[in-house]
Amino acid sequence: MKKILFLLLAGMQCLAVTAQGFRAPAYPLINHDTYFSIWSTTDKLTDAPTKHWTGTDQSLTGLIKVDGTAYRFMGNEEKTYKTLIPTSDEENYQTKYTETQPASGWENVQFNDADWKNGIAPFGDNNADKTSWKTKDIWVRRTFTLNQSDFKKLYLKISHDDNVEVYLNGEKVYNKTGWVQKFVFIEIDDAIRKNLKAGKNVLAIHCANTAGGSHLDAGLVTEPVSTQKANILVADQTNVDMNATQTSYNFTCGKVDLTLTFTSPLLLDDLNLLSRPISYISYQVKANDGKTHNVQVYFGASTDIAVNTSMQPVTTQKYTSNNIAILKAGTVEQPILQKKGDDVRIDWGYMYVGVPQSYGSNQYVTSSTDAMNNFLQNTTLASVKDGKHLVLSTIIPLGKVSSTPKEQFIMLGYDDLYAIQYFNQNLKAWWKLDPSKTIESELGAAARDYTSILKRCTDFNQSLQKAAVAAGGENYAKLCILGYRQSISAHKLVKSPQGEILFLSKENFSGGFINTVDVTYPSAPLYLVYNPALMEGMMNGIFYFSESGKNTSPFAAHDLGTYPLANGQTYGEGMPVEESGNMLILAGAIAKAEGNANYAKKHWKTLTTWANYLNKEGLDPANQLCTDDFAGHLARNANLSVKAIVGVGCYAMLAEQMGDKATAEKYRNSAKEMVGKWMQLADAGDHYALTFNNKDTWSEKYNMVWDKVLGLNLFPKSVYDKEVKYYLTKQNEYGLPLDSRKTYTKSDWVLWTAGLTDNQNDFNALVNPIYKYATETTSRVPISDWHETTTGKMVGFQARSVVGGYFMKLLEDKFAKQ
């Protein structure tokens, strides 16, 4: 997402990147929400296809032709396959199966399976599975006929849960102990591939369900023959850089230089712009040899951006509207809000590629194998209307290019039709609240406003960079830049039926829940710095859940459902102290940011219930989960107790702001009394323990940072100092471990922990290993907040909104200046 038009000074100014270059785990390109989120996961943009944050290919390709010579500067060839026998994402095929141990030779072609049952794939114990399989073992035989057998490559396409062994014509081609979440493609050895026959063949599978769910689905594919004939050179990438709203690449393409910039204008103070689902891809081209050259640019966007799996049929359209030439694509089926879960991509609504008509561009739709031929061979390809795995192609003629730069831009947009289901009512995205707005009118507005929007982005990028450097230094600023778009694009902005703002997160790759409170909590600093109204939008649904009577617990809910369905909590158990403490602390932080307690006043009865729960149960928590639930249940958790204490302290602060002195004094005294007891219970000499009952343990007391940032003054400064001094003795190469149980950590918590000190050297000592992790990790995903401090590799989680927590030091600086 970035810039480009012919508007000289403004465009050139926008290309100045404020943050100095550094290697990111993944580079954000198109970032709007959890469905419309495309990344580059390699150092060079040409090394691999671009991907959705889940890791599934969502290919954007870019070529530039200079005096007839073509260079590739974006994307790489996708691995595509031609189906021989389909899996259920293409059709629900019929096969033979038994759940009783068969006779020997069951895997051979000649075996008689007449007494086996007939079943339609996929097999499993999920409602989506066509044939129920709830026993331990299943044996499947799939007989198929081929017209040819001389394939150069052959792959098994399979998804299974759990252990599996697969045979082709009696020869074992695959076995695995364990399960795979999505389809994997296993190349079959040449010797076995050559046994494939023109005529009857058998794919035979045994799958064993050892624990949890069951699932089996398999087919065979081969590689299609490429129709691309022209040679393409690879552009020389000379730099990559990123700032808060942009990622920019520089290339040398023979005799011209290209600056490619992706801009997603996620400006938090403008909700209409924030919600507008349109990014810019900008091209600035100039000659590097003092001469003039004829230049054309090609942009291709895979229709996989609009599907959950590439085998889903799509339909396309080419038209013009609002002076924009448009290509549109979406699934034929359009299952609006029918899919939920974690590793899921949107398959409803429509993607759009738009370019100003004045550019004289050539647009067409083809298969992925034919997508570039029109550009490479100067031929005219007829557009394809329907199909699978298509490409929306746009060719822009820049004409004669000299040493004076030329700029143009393409827009990539997505209209999801309906965004969220909120207590059984489907809601549209915020930008559609005005019924007169359409995606076409938004594309037109985005084109007209290009120059002013890019200027606003540039100003904001520079402002964030400057403030973050002043708060924590250069490395800290780069971490904030890294977290900015990732955090925002893990949310969706809508309005509730009650007229309230809802800014709902998806708990990416850690459950897929919607509006998880202990994801909201670590994400909060970013939004408290730049727009507390969005912080309210992250809490409104949780308050409604309790105040509507739908949640009757005396503590806050964990979540509102599984994304995109916010119909009530789906997590298996509550986190009573955790979530109640989170909501009270964040209500206090909103009051601090807004300078009044009006938001808390609206929900005072509910906050009082939660404060009383913490007052009673929070000091010495029972055996329950906290936000670090991956580490398991823990009783007498000292850090969780800190959260309860700070939560009670925030309630007292809110009461005082509302003028209720008696309540404020009562709860502040209670919080102070809890602090005294906590210091005795957690004291382990030179530090404070992980649990009150084991002084040979330790943990990051990251929850304590709110006491400092909000100026509650509950804990003595000596507590902060003792903890920080101890932490500095426990660091590993890539950061401070979360606690004494394991060597892994959470990077957001480390940056909160660093906020406990006012000593810049100590702050740097805690932050720099996290920066080292971010720039050196071999886990090439949108940064994982859960990593190993010894190796720098992710343990789990990716692309989560919690990296908004990196802004804690910036928030402290903001509050200190109020």
Side-chain angles (χ1 to χ4, degrees), residues 224-462:
V225 177
S226 175
T227 60
Q228 184 175 301
K229 303 188 188 309
N231 291 326
I232 304 174
L233 303 177
V234 178
D236 180 19
Q237 180 178 310
T238 58
N239 188 52
V240 56
D241 217 338
M242 60 187 290
N243 53 43
T245 63
Q246 301 170 311
T247 300
S248 184
Y249 294 86
N250 295 100
F251 300 93
T252 297
C253 309
K255 298 174 182 178
V256 305
D257 293 334
L258 166 68
T259 298
L260 175 72
T261 306
F262 298 84
T263 303
S264 291
L266 303 182
L267 301 178
L268 296 179
D269 62 348
D270 185 341
L271 297 187
N272 291 326
L273 181 60
L274 175 66
S275 180
R276 179 191 284 170
I278 296 170
S279 283
Y280 302 104
I281 302 138
S282 307
Y283 308 85
Q284 184 193 70
V285 183
K286 65 178 181 178
N288 57 34
D289 63 353
K291 299 180 181 180
T292 299
H293 303 280
N294 188 51
V295 177
Q296 293 176 293
V297 170
Y298 167 88
F299 172 76
S302 171
T303 59
D304 289 355
I305 293 168
V307 302
N308 182 41
T309 70
S310 62
M311 290 296 101
Q312 290 180 274
V314 298
T315 185
T316 69
Q317 185 180 355
K318 176 183 176 182
Y319 62 106
T320 60
S321 178
N322 288 272
N323 299 314
I324 304 298
I326 297 171
L327 293 175
K328 170 184 177 182
T331 60
V332 173
E333 184 185 7
Q334 288 297 304
I336 296 174
L337 294 170
Q338 290 182 25
K339 288 185 176 64
K340 63 178 182 178
D342 211 341
D343 190 4
V344 175
R345 289 143 299 279
I346 195 168
D347 58 2
W348 66 89
Y350 296 90
M351 63 178 289
Y352 295 79
V353 175
V355 62
Q357 278 185 274
S358 60
Y359 288 2
S361 62
N362 177 21
Q363 292 187 303
Y364 55 94
V365 183
T366 63
S367 68
S368 60
T369 53
D370 291 333
M372 300 178 190
N373 282 351
N374 190 36
F375 180 68
L376 296 173
Q377 301 174 19
N378 296 314
T379 58
T380 300
L381 296 175
S383 280
V384 175
K385 178 174 173 53
D386 303 312
K388 301 174 183 177
H389 197 57
L390 303 179
V391 177
L392 309 184
S393 295
T394 300
I395 299 173
I396 299 177
L398 275 76
K400 298 295 184 181
V401 174
S402 66
S403 56
T404 300
K406 278 192 176 182
E407 295 190 23
Q408 297 199 326
F409 68 91
I410 286 174
M411 296 172 290
L412 188 61
Y414 204 100
D415 180 2
D416 54 16
L417 304 180
Y418 284 93
I420 296 291
Q421 186 175 101
Y422 184 73
F423 294 100
N424 302 305
Q425 184 168 338
N426 292 351
L427 304 180
K428 295 181 179 180
W430 184 275
W431 70 270
K432 302 183 86 169
L433 294 177
D434 180 349
S436 69
K437 287 185 176 181
T438 64
I439 191 65
E440 289 85 3
S441 68
E442 291 297 280
L443 285 165
R448 290 191 302 273
D449 298 343
Y450 171 81
T451 304
S452 62
I453 288 173
L454 267 290
K455 176 63 164 59
R456 290 171 64 188
C457 287
T458 298
D459 291 345
F460 176 73
N461 297 338
Q462 293 171 347

Side-chain angles (χ1 to χ4, degrees), residues 15-91:
L15 286 170
V17 180
T18 54
Q20 294 191 359
F22 68 105
R23 175 192 177 276
Y27 295 91
L29 305 179
I30 309 292
N31 306 91
H32 289 277
D33 57 47
T34 189
Y35 288 132
F36 194 30
S37 180
I38 305 173
W39 299 70
S40 171
T41 58
T42 51
D43 294 333
K44 291 187 176 181
L45 190 57
T46 52
D47 280 354
T50 57
K51 300 177 184 296
H52 186 258
W53 67 262
T54 56
T56 296
D57 287 354
Q58 290 191 340
S59 181
L60 303 177
T61 51
L63 304 178
I64 186 169
K65 192 183 289 184
V66 182
D67 298 331
T69 301
Y71 299 84
R72 175 170 51 86
F73 59 82
M74 175 166 56
N76 202 346
E77 185 176 356
E78 292 182 90
K79 193 74 171 179
T80 58
Y81 301 95
K82 179 181 178 181
T83 299
L84 297 180
I85 58 171
T87 45
S88 68
D89 57 346
E90 295 183 77
E91 65 179 66

